[in-house]
Amino acid sequence: MRKLYKGDSFGEQSLYYNTIRQMTVRAEDEVKCLCLGRDTLTKILGDQVQVITFRNLQKWAFEKNAILSKLLKPQVDKVLDVMKISYYKAGDIIFKKTTPMNQKIIVVIEGSLKKAKSGIVVASKGSCYGEEFFLETAKQKTFDDDIVMETDGVISEISNENFTESLGAALDETLKKENELVFENREE
């Protein structure tokens, strides 16, 4: 379950994909909502509906992540500004076997990632993958299997270097130290 706060939005994904809403929203207190229909939203945002939808999915993935949720909103925005959105086909390799694990952070916008040989799903829509490998203890580790798209999908990604550059080395190191134990026993 996700909590929404002042200024958050919902429902735009169903407008973008022209589908039925996938979630139920329930107010805990009295709220005021601004409701926009598809035509009005399209007039206001034009072709930006997809961009906004993808950006929201990225933010939500960061919010529910044990490591990335520690970033402040302006820091998240800086990182998201640098992340590259890419479209992949089922079977496309995202992380190649024997390559360093600490190369990039992925946010799955659509689809899912799996280990090629075992078929184990390692990340699905709305989740991050790779952030735990930025920790000092993972610097020398390599992938023991290709990590591939399980289905056609969309991901956003940022390299270790761009992540550090966008946040500054000091903050990057602070995040690593604070979270060294969070994923200590997590499987690769």
Side-chain angles (χ1 to χ4, degrees):
M1 182 183 317
R2 199 184 84 215
K3 257 191 171 175
L4 299 174
Y5 299 94
K6 182 178 180 178
D8 287 343
S9 64
F10 60 91
E12 66 274 16
Q13 191 170 4
S14 62
L15 289 177
Y16 172 70
Y17 290 114
N18 196 23
T19 60
I20 297 170
R21 288 202 166 86
Q22 300 291 317
M23 66 182 203
T24 299
V25 178
R26 183 177 58 223
E28 290 182 347
D29 296 313
E30 186 175 319
V31 297
K32 290 182 182 179
C33 293
L34 171 65
C35 299
L36 300 173
R38 179 187 321 279
D39 293 339
T40 304
L41 189 63
T42 303
K43 282 180 187 175
I44 294 169
L45 300 176
D47 62 355
Q48 295 299 304
V49 175
Q50 180 185 37
V51 172
I52 292 167
T53 299
F54 285 0
R55 182 103 174 176
N56 283 342
L57 284 168
Q58 291 172 292
K59 285 181 182 180
W60 298 331
F62 273 50
E63 287 172 7
K64 67 181 185 181
N65 182 275
I67 292 176
L68 301 174
S69 64
K70 297 186 185 318
L71 296 173
L72 301 173
K73 185 183 181 320
Q75 295 163 333
V76 170
D77 289 338
K78 276 185 170 183
V79 171
L80 296 183
D81 287 343
V82 180
M83 291 186 87
K84 178 182 142 198
I85 294 178
S86 303
Y87 297 79
Y88 290 94
K89 297 283 184 198
D92 285 352
I93 297 173
I94 307 303
F95 291 97
K96 195 162 183 61
K97 181 180 179 176
T98 71
T99 59
M101 296 177 96
N102 67 329
Q103 56 189 291
K104 59 186 170 183
I105 294 174
I106 299 293
V107 174
V108 180
I109 297 173
E110 289 291 332
S112 56
L113 301 176
K114 69 175 184 175
K115 289 185 173 188
K117 286 185 183 175
S118 67
I120 296 171
V121 174
V122 295
S124 56
K125 181 178 178 173
S127 64
C128 298
Y129 187 74
E131 77 291 344
E132 69 272 25
F133 306 132
F134 276 35
L135 305 177
E136 291 300 319
T137 56
K139 288 262 184 211
Q140 302 304 317
K141 291 185 179 179
T142 59
F143 285 100
D144 61 358
D145 193 359
D146 289 336
I147 304 297
V148 300
M149 290 300 297
E150 181 179 39
T151 60
D152 290 355
V154 182
I155 64 171
S156 64
E157 55 192 301
I158 185 169
S159 69
N160 188 340
E161 295 79 23
N162 287 341
F163 183 82
T164 300
E165 187 177 299
S166 65
L167 292 180
L171 180 59
D172 180 53
E173 288 303 314
T174 300
L175 274 176
K176 288 177 182 176
K177 286 177 184 168
E178 277 187 27
N179 292 293
E180 276 188 335
L181 299 177
V182 172
F183 290 100
E184 191 174 74
N185 296 321
R186 184 169 173 178
E187 262 191 5
E188 298 172 359

